[in-house]
Amino acid sequence: MLKLPGLIDPHVHVREPGQTHKEDWNTVTQAALAGGVTMILAMPNTKPPIFDAATLDLALTAAKDKARCDYAQFLGAGPDNADTAASLAPRAAGLKMYLDSTFGELRLDDMTLWTPHFQKFPKNAPMVMHSESRTMAAAILFAAIYDRPIHIAHVSLREEILLIKAAKERGIKVTCEVSPHHLFFPSPPSPLPVGEGRRGEGRLEVRPRLADQKDVDALWANLDVIDCFATDHAPHTLAEKDGENPPPGFPGLETMLPLLLTAVDDGRLTIDDVIKRLHTNPRRIFNLPEPSETWVQVDEDAVYEIKASEQFTRCGWTPFEGWKVKGKVRKVVLRGRTVFDDGKILSEAGYGRNVRV
Ligand code: NCD
Ligand code: ZN
């Protein structure tokens, strides 16, 4: 048995408020604990999005009632909430900026809308960018101009990891995360998620898209540039994934650690690499407390197949169905309480704490 610190996932789409048929604070925090994750940072692209005091309260009230692991909630950067977001910074995980995709009220159509956020959001509070490819280059230039740290979400391309490496070498304050699906899915992925033809393709929709083998190889070759692993847990139901307009996103909370432990077993990573990227670095980058008496017990030798039917996420599927992994979470202790034991969730809804209070 191996003992790990409580893992931190800085990138989780909880779906509450607004889309609780996909997931909610209760189910997502159960999935987290089953995956060895004791603290999640929740993304703001809910319905409504989290961008002011009223919507922040909406998310935090639901979390307070339902969460079974610790958490904080991100604010979204919108076209005219820079002052509000800055004043709410102490209550939030940080500020999330969607610089590529358009997300209703969180739309930042041109770069002049980025400026007030870079000027006003406190420099010691985390700013996270959804910025791909050339937009990422622009975000890094903003970090240099305004001389403030930024964290880049879900890096997936060779050109991106090389850019971040160069920026770090110049002393620009940039950190980044990579999601397991971008490390483990070759393109085309093998084995394909269950589902044939168009069905399989809908399930494979994710942003950033699954990349080429050369990109996957570049991520592995530049592991030292990757500060954190993060799931980008983005649950959608199977009916939605197999439907007409499949929404992008994979669930990931329950599969991240087993996949990484399998890579450790294969000699591609060390346990210390994992602890650094799922505990030490996210704690530092996002300014998170260290809960006392919190740890995860893992059976390193357990070999099994990933099965959606055994997961706690409400979405009911996983892109890793049938993958053979080695390493299983047996027990999770959070703030002195056993909260997960041998497949069972033991913390009650509401046990989770907001770490920004
Ligand atoms: C995210 C989601 O579903 O909320 N999906 C994803 O593929 N990562 C939204 C997004 O970041 O595009
Ligand atoms: Zn995301």
Side-chain angles (χ1 to χ4, degrees):
M1 291 280 182
L2 177 74
K3 197 172 164 181
L4 301 175
L7 307 180
I8 299 167
D9 185 352
H11 194 141
V12 175
H13 296 272
V14 171
R15 305 301 190 207
E16 185 171 11
Q19 295 181 306
T20 52
H21 68 286
K22 300 176 196 262
E23 197 81 287
D24 69 11
W25 278 97
N26 184 0
T27 52
V28 85
T29 52
Q30 294 187 53
L33 291 176
V37 172
T38 54
M39 197 186 289
I40 61 169
L41 304 186
M43 284 297 150
N45 65 329
T46 45
K47 290 197 167 148
I50 310 307
F51 69 101
D52 61 9
T55 49
L56 181 60
D57 285 340
L58 201 60
L60 291 181
T61 305
K64 191 175 197 306
D65 288 345
K66 295 183 170 182
R68 296 169 193 258
C69 75
D70 293 347
Y71 60 88
Q73 171 68 53
F74 276 102
L75 291 159
D80 46 34
N81 72 338
D83 287 304
T84 310
S87 70
L88 291 171
R91 294 182 57 207
L95 183 73
K96 176 76 184 283
M97 298 183 71
Y98 288 94
L99 303 183
D100 289 297
S101 336
T102 52
F103 271 103
E105 282 119 292
L106 301 183
R107 193 162 52 218
L108 298 171
D109 281 330
D110 65 73
M111 285 191 283
T112 59
L113 299 176
W114 305 6
T115 306
H117 290 288
F118 271 89
Q119 288 171 329
K120 292 175 181 173
F121 203 67
K123 283 196 182 183
N124 60 359
M127 250 169 99
V128 177
M129 308 289 141
H130 182 137
S131 61
E132 300 179 38
S133 191
R134 292 174 190 195
T135 315
M136 184 184 297
I140 292 173
L141 181 59
F142 267 69
I145 292 171
Y146 291 97
D147 188 29
R148 64 146 302 141
I150 62 166
H151 178 80
I152 300 199
H154 42 51
V155 174
S156 66
L157 301 177
R158 179 172 181 270
E159 64 177 29
E160 296 172 345
I161 199 72
L162 295 180
L163 179 73
I164 293 168
K165 181 179 157 75
K168 285 183 173 189
E169 284 165 2
R170 300 294 186 292
I172 298 173
K173 299 179 185 99
V174 54
T175 55
C176 72
E177 71 194 28
V178 169
S179 301
H181 47 270
H182 292 124
L183 283 175
F184 294 107
F185 263 125
S187 178
S190 154
L192 272 158
V194 214
E196 306 261 312
R198 282 204 49 230
R199 293 185 60 202
E201 281 164 32
R203 294 187 195 187
L204 289 178
E205 281 293 339
V206 68
R207 297 292 175 275
R209 288 187 167 80
L210 295 177
D212 295 330
Q213 191 60 48
K214 72 155 185 0
D215 297 300
V216 176
D217 292 343
L219 296 179
W220 282 101
N222 290 284
L223 209 59
D224 56 328
V225 183
I226 302 172
D227 299 281
C228 306
F229 296 131
T231 58
D232 192 11
H233 179 86
H236 302 282
T237 65
L238 257 190
E240 292 165 337
K241 295 295 281 181
D242 288 346
E244 270 313 302
N245 279 310
F250 292 165
L253 276 164
E254 289 158 272
T255 45
M256 173 165 65
L257 186 58
L259 289 165
L260 292 171
L261 290 172
T262 306
V264 170
D265 189 61
D266 292 342
R268 306 176 80 187
L269 277 177
T270 66
I271 283 289
D272 283 346
D273 287 332
V274 175
I275 295 174
K276 225 163 103 178
R277 287 165 184 78
L278 281 177
H279 182 78
T280 325
N281 290 346
R283 264 200 71 209
R284 188 191 72 244
I285 293 164
F286 297 96
N287 246 318
L288 300 168
E290 173 89 76
S292 61
E293 289 184 80
T294 296
W295 45 272
V296 176
Q297 194 182 55
V298 163
D299 180 353
E300 300 159 89
D301 298 321
V303 175
Y304 59 102
E305 276 184 15
I306 291 174
K307 289 197 185 91
S309 60
E310 293 173 2
Q311 297 198 145
F312 289 90
T313 173
R314 181 167 290 150
C315 73
W317 77 287
T318 163
F320 304 106
E321 183 76 37
W323 285 35
K324 201 170 176 189
V325 287
K326 189 169 177 185
K328 202 176 185 80
V329 176
R330 290 290 181 209
K331 187 172 174 165
V332 180
V333 175
L334 173 58
R335 286 180 278 106
R337 279 255 315 260
T338 301
V339 290
F340 178 82
D341 197 5
D342 211 14
K344 289 195 180 60
I345 302 288
L346 300 179
S347 55
E348 67 276 7
Y351 181 70
R353 276 197 197 157
N354 182 356
V355 298
R356 286 292 195 249
V357 171

